Amino acid sequence: MLSSQDVLFKALADPTRRAIFERLCRNGDQTVAALTVHAGVSQPAVSKHLGVLKQAGLVRDRHEGRQTHYCAQPRALAPLISWTSQMAGFWQSRFDDLEDLLKRMDQ
Amino acid sequence: MLSSQDVLFKALADPTRRAIFERLCRNGDQTVAALTVHAGVSQPAVSKHLGVLKQAGLVRDRHEGRQTHYCAQPRALAPLISWTSQMAGFWQSRFDDLEDLLKRMDQ
DNA sequence: CTCACTCATAACCCCCCGGTTATCGGTTAG
DNA sequence: CTAACCGATAACCGGGGGGTTATGAGTGAG
């Protein structure tokens, strides 16, 4: 079983891929050619990265004639945010428990 | 140059490593042996993972006799949270711009 | 002092992943 | 219709990363 966090973290672990996603978030709709210009890698590489991002639900594609436009789906970041806040939450709650314990000891 | 997000995403991209970090967040201080029991991999593998997490600032180690205790540092997740909210923010601002444009067109 | 225990490091292996070039299917321009 | 363009797929390659076993450094127990 591979969790949704796993897919997201793996998809965003690569710098090139993260840069592509970032660009789509900043500047909105982009064709593959436009993304390739700034990616620093070949067009097939960009296509592969877009495939991974699409599998992770981070982008959507739209065909328009012979071009393919991609756009970001930041909503897909939700599980990631959820996980991080959960981690921070666990830590906080353990801290609260300790504080609680200290208070009870104080009485 | 490798950004702090890069280190964090790469560190958390591996399921075994994420599980170790998660356990440290949930249950607090753990020795290497204790972590190894639940990790599903050998002790040297666990040590390597802990090394990566430590490099990323996600854990701290404390030597106590011949044992080494590790504890989570969820504060290190900050850049990750920052990045994700930034991505969502860009999207939101572009949305706001569009709304703004529509309002101006409406006049 | 010696032996057992805990963890880190070394040395090695294999597979996955990110890159490349070559090519193909689909689409539009001329 | 033909030729050029756009993007995805195929086939291949090299490096890195996660796994293992073996061993070493440091500490505590007896």
Side-chain angles (χ1 to χ4, degrees):
Chain A
M1 161 222 173
L2 81 169
S3 67
S4 78
Q5 291 106 357
D6 207 45
V7 181
L8 284 177
F9 273 115
K10 278 190 161 48
L12 296 172
D14 181 72
T16 305
R17 215 145 48 209
R18 210 167 50 251
I20 291 175
F21 178 69
E22 202 164 327
R23 179 167 203 84
L24 286 174
C25 282
R26 289 180 187 269
N27 306 349
D29 246 46
Q30 303 272 329
T31 69
V32 175
L35 292 170
T36 301
V37 172
H38 306 92
V41 293
S42 66
Q43 172 266 311
V46 172
S47 277
K48 274 210 258 182
H49 284 307
L50 287 170
V52 175
L53 291 172
K54 186 179 170 186
Q55 285 297 93
L58 288 165
V59 300
R60 272 175 52 77
D61 59 345
R62 172 176 50 97
H63 297 284
E64 204 166 283
R66 53 183 169 184
Q67 320 203 52
T68 309
H69 292 256
Y70 282 85
C71 65
Q73 295 279 101
R75 301 171 52 182
L77 291 172
L80 207 154
I81 297 173
S82 164
W83 184 85
T84 53
S85 57
Q86 217 181 6
M87 289 310 105
F90 286 138
W91 195 78
Q92 183 63 34
S93 76
R94 283 192 300 103
F95 187 75
D96 291 347
D97 290 350
L98 178 63
E99 223 170 34
D100 203 46
L101 176 65
L102 288 175
K103 271 184 189 161
R104 271 183 279 125
M105 285 172 65
D106 213 31
Q107 290 175 357
Chain B
M1 162 224 173
L2 82 169
S3 69
S4 79
Q5 292 107 356
D6 208 44
V7 181
L8 284 177
F9 273 114
K10 277 191 161 48
L12 295 172
D14 182 72
T16 305
R17 214 146 49 211
R18 211 166 51 249
I20 291 176
F21 178 70
E22 203 164 327
R23 173 166 277 275
L24 286 173
C25 282
R26 289 179 187 270
N27 306 348
D29 247 46
Q30 304 271 329
T31 69
V32 175
L35 291 171
T36 301
V37 172
H38 306 92
V41 293
S42 66
Q43 173 267 313
V46 172
S47 277
K48 272 210 261 182
H49 283 307
L50 287 169
V52 174
L53 290 172
K54 186 179 170 186
Q55 285 296 93
L58 288 165
V59 300
R60 269 175 51 79
D61 60 344
R62 172 176 47 99
H63 298 283
E64 204 165 281
R66 52 184 168 182
Q67 321 202 51
T68 308
H69 292 255
Y70 282 86
C71 65
Q73 295 278 100
R75 301 171 53 182
L77 291 172
L80 205 153
I81 297 172
S82 165
W83 184 86
T84 53
S85 57
Q86 218 180 9
M87 289 308 106
F90 287 138
W91 196 77
Q92 182 64 34
S93 76
R94 283 194 299 105
F95 186 75
D96 291 347
D97 289 351
L98 178 63
E99 222 169 35
D100 204 46
L101 177 64
L102 289 174
K103 271 183 190 160
R104 271 183 280 126
M105 286 173 63
D106 213 31
Q107 291 175 357

